[in-house]
């Protein structure tokens, strides 16, 4: 779901309840871009964001 660590950090911060403008300032991005990343993960539903973060952290990788 998350393309890179920055996107993961954005979703995590939004799930923790930080406002979009604050997250945008912390990652040096436009608020609109942060909002779109969060929206793809379920923003503004913080419960859905937490589930997305949890699923990403606990995803198991198949053995190669």
């Amino acid at each position: 779901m998350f393309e890179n660590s920055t996107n993961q950090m954005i979703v995590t911060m939004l799930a923790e309840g930080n406002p979009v403008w604050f997250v945008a300032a912390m990652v040096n991005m436009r608020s609109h871009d942060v909002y779109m990343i969060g929206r793809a993960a379920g923003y503004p539903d913080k419960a859905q964001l937490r589930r997305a973060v949890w699923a990403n952290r606990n995803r198991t990788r198949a053995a190669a």
Side-chain angles (χ1 to χ4, degrees):
M1 169 177 234
F2 305 118
E3 295 176 17
N4 58 39
S5 61
T6 302
N7 289 12
Q8 183 177 357
M9 181 174 54
I10 289 168
V11 173
T12 302
M13 290 176 75
L14 291 172
E16 291 172 350
N18 294 307
V20 170
W21 62 267
F22 177 79
V23 176
M26 294 300 291
V27 295
N28 197 23
M29 291 177 73
R30 295 182 333 159
S31 292
H32 176 75
D33 295 334
V34 169
Y35 174 79
M36 294 308 290
I37 292 167
R39 184 173 169 203
Y43 185 80
D45 183 357
K46 288 181 181 46
Q48 187 174 352
L49 285 172
R50 285 191 295 272
R51 284 191 301 270
V53 169
W54 184 87
N56 192 57
R57 285 184 183 162
N58 295 306
R59 179 176 33 184
T60 57
R61 295 202 165 95

